Amino acid sequence: MQSHLNKKGHKWTNGILIIITLMIVLYVAYVKGFISLGITKLVELEVTKELLTLDIKEKSTIGINEKQIYKVTSDGITSYNFEGEEIWSDTFSMGNFISVQRKPYIAVGSMQGNHIILFNEKGRQAEIITDHPIVYFSVNESGGIATIENENNSYTVSAYDTSGKKLCWRTTFISEDGYPIVAELSPDNKLLLISYVSVDEPQVVSRIIAIDVEDRETENVDNIKYGYKQTNNLIYDIEFISKNTWVSIGDKAIDWYDLEGNQKGTQNNLSAVFVPYLTKMTEHGLGYFPMIITEKPTQNVVHRQDELVYFNDIGAETFSINLDGGIEYFYADENGVTIQKANVFRGYDKLGNPFFEYTATTDVSKVIYIPSLKKGIAVNKENVLLLTPKKEKK
């Protein structure tokens, strides 16, 4: 009798362990973005209050960074909490400024200028002074910066770490490799990718050069690890969608690679409406790459029929939805994608589930919503507005 009870108890224990194990596996798979448990709820947002007043005569860039709202102008940068109270600020003077963001970093520089200032949620981190006028720069999630500088008929592409220290550089002439049009530094600051385009040949030719930033065995500053040549495909952007995967975006072909340069996947003849840009990569899973594509890119927004598509780390389509019209705004981060059609903004998480919607009553140009905070912002010409989930009527 006792033996029989022991066997029953043993079975119950095994059953409980199996259930607990399955629950853990499901939870990990959900957190990493492999499955949906069907718990995503579409919330309707409303304006709660005005946070900031903007000067309509002044160019400004508004964004959210690590639970802070930031405003960049030609005179400096200011960070606020979601009550509209100032947290920190920094002053500078930059005409024709450009700010780029990869959470938690924001880089501010000016075209044809020679310095870039790096910030995070704590304030200024570094300042980079370049030798020649800047025509392009980017920042990664580690605070690494890549620049393209121009001097007469030569271009220099450089990489810098978070402290502003130069890591490597490559100088070429237009007659050799053509024009460098984009440069990106890997999240670990170990690989610098550059896309060159040459228009002096019968067809447009793009060349991607991968530079090993850590190679210090020789005095050669190039340290080329690998390279590619593509004809009739203008590669105008490079995106890291995870720590181990990067994507080259061209007007005829889009290709996925690992850090060693092995091709993982490809998609042909996708016409992107917006340049795909992840403000922050997803922290879990193998990465997702969202795009707004259309069959007729030359048509205006009124007549276009756009589509939201997600691709995984090997270039396979994992989600798509016909948006029944043209899209006017696109924003992507680790939470998902926000799009605008007419005056309606809608968010889709990284699995493709709709998770918020906001109908603007003013001329809103930007909406960013952070689901973990249940707060977001709407930006128009005059104000920054606080968005929160609409309260249900009792």
Side-chain angles (χ1 to χ4, degrees), residues 132 144 233 266 319:
H132 309 294
N233 183 39
T266 188
F319 165 75

Side-chain angles (χ1 to χ4, degrees), residues 279 314 348 376:
T279 305
I314 59 172
Y348 293 86

Side-chain angles (χ1 to χ4, degrees), residues 232-263:
N232 198 28
N233 183 39
L234 175 60
I235 298 174
Y236 59 86
D237 194 25
I238 294 171
E239 281 282 305
F240 280 89
I241 65 170
S242 73
K243 294 180 179 180
N244 301 310
T245 303
W246 61 275
V247 184
S248 69
I249 301 107
D251 62 340
K252 299 293 190 301
I254 301 174
D255 299 297
W256 281 253
Y257 299 92
D258 63 20
L259 294 181
E260 298 303 314
N262 302 305
Q263 188 177 40

Side-chain angles (χ1 to χ4, degrees), residues 140-152:
N140 66 16
E141 294 184 2
S142 302
I145 289 177
T147 65
I148 300 177
E149 307 159 39
N150 174 232
E151 184 187 24
N152 298 324

Side-chain angles (χ1 to χ4, degrees), residues 170-363:
R170 183 174 196 258
T171 299
T172 59
F173 292 88
I174 298 171
S175 58
E176 297 174 353
D177 286 351
Y179 300 86
I181 59 175
V182 63
E184 292 288 334
L185 192 57
S186 63
D188 59 6
N189 291 346
K190 294 181 180 180
L191 191 69
L192 176 62
L193 295 168
I194 312 165
S195 174
Y196 295 88
V197 61
S198 175
V199 295
D200 295 331
E201 302 182 45
Q203 299 182 68
V204 172
V205 175
S206 289
R207 294 178 177 86
I208 290 184
I209 301 297
I211 296 176
D212 187 344
V213 176
E214 289 193 316
D215 186 357
R216 296 290 184 269
E217 294 182 359
T218 67
E219 295 181 358
N220 181 7
V221 294
D222 269 8
N223 299 329
I224 295 176
K225 188 172 183 178
Y226 52 83
Y228 303 101
K229 176 181 176 181
Q230 293 191 11
T231 58
N232 198 28
N233 183 39
L234 175 60
I235 298 174
Y236 59 86
D237 194 25
I238 294 171
E239 281 282 305
F240 280 89
I241 65 170
S242 73
K243 294 180 179 180
N244 301 310
T245 303
W246 61 275
V247 184
S248 69
I249 301 107
D251 62 340
K252 299 293 190 301
I254 301 174
D255 299 297
W256 281 253
Y257 299 92
D258 63 20
L259 294 181
E260 298 303 314
N262 302 305
Q263 188 177 40
K264 303 173 68 176
T266 188
Q267 291 281 345
N268 295 308
N269 300 316
L270 297 179
S271 296
V273 177
F274 296 87
V275 176
Y277 187 86
L278 279 170
T279 305
K280 185 176 182 179
M281 302 179 303
T282 178
E283 296 178 358
H284 306 288
L286 299 175
Y288 85 113
F289 184 60
M291 292 184 66
I292 302 291
I293 62 173
T294 185
E295 291 185 356
K296 299 178 179 179
T298 58
Q299 288 188 337
N300 60 39
V301 69
V302 176
H303 299 101
R304 279 202 324 259
Q305 292 296 314
D306 296 346
E307 185 179 0
L308 172 62
V309 184
Y310 290 179
F311 298 99
N312 62 14
D313 68 312
I314 59 172
E317 183 180 309
T318 59
F319 165 75
S320 68
I321 183 171
N322 192 312
L323 300 172
D324 193 26
I327 299 306
E328 302 175 50
Y329 169 77
F330 174 75
Y331 174 85
D333 61 15
E334 77 279 20
N335 297 307
V337 167
T338 300
I339 61 170
Q340 174 194 4
K341 189 175 74 170
N343 65 330
V344 177
F345 292 80
R346 173 169 282 204
Y348 293 86
D349 67 19
K350 61 186 179 182
L351 297 174
N353 303 305
F355 70 98
F356 84 83
E357 187 171 282
Y358 168 64
T359 302
T361 57
T362 60
D363 188 16

